[in-house]
Amino acid sequence: MNFRVEGMTCGHCERAVTRAVQSIDPAARVTVDRTADRVVVESVADADAVVRAIQAEGYVVDRSA
Ligand SMILES: [Cu+2]
């Protein structure tokens, strides 16, 4: 799953997004590229749940296939 995530400015943001995703799937593999506003998630979790988890951390999220 690929997401566009706006608002990530530092390593803390990358960890916050990673933790948010792993809060719904501890086995999720999360790759964050904050300079590209890009988050790639390998997980069995529902994509909408991933979006909500990241939004709950205060970031703007778009699905981008
Ligand atoms: Cu930050």
Side-chain angles (χ1 to χ4, degrees):
M1 294 181 272
N2 297 334
F3 302 92
R4 177 178 170 81
V5 179
E6 296 175 26
M8 299 184 293
T9 56
C10 66
H12 170 267
C13 295
E14 294 187 352
R15 288 191 293 278
V17 168
T18 299
R19 279 198 307 270
V21 175
Q22 290 178 340
S23 73
I24 54 174
D25 176 9
R29 292 189 51 173
V30 183
T31 305
V32 179
D33 181 349
R34 68 177 182 267
T35 59
D37 288 346
R38 201 103 187 115
V39 175
V40 178
V41 177
E42 295 174 48
S43 170
V44 297
D46 179 70
D48 289 334
V50 173
V51 168
R52 286 193 296 271
I54 297 173
Q55 286 173 333
E57 293 296 319
Y59 302 101
V60 177
V61 186
D62 282 318
R63 290 282 324 257
S64 54

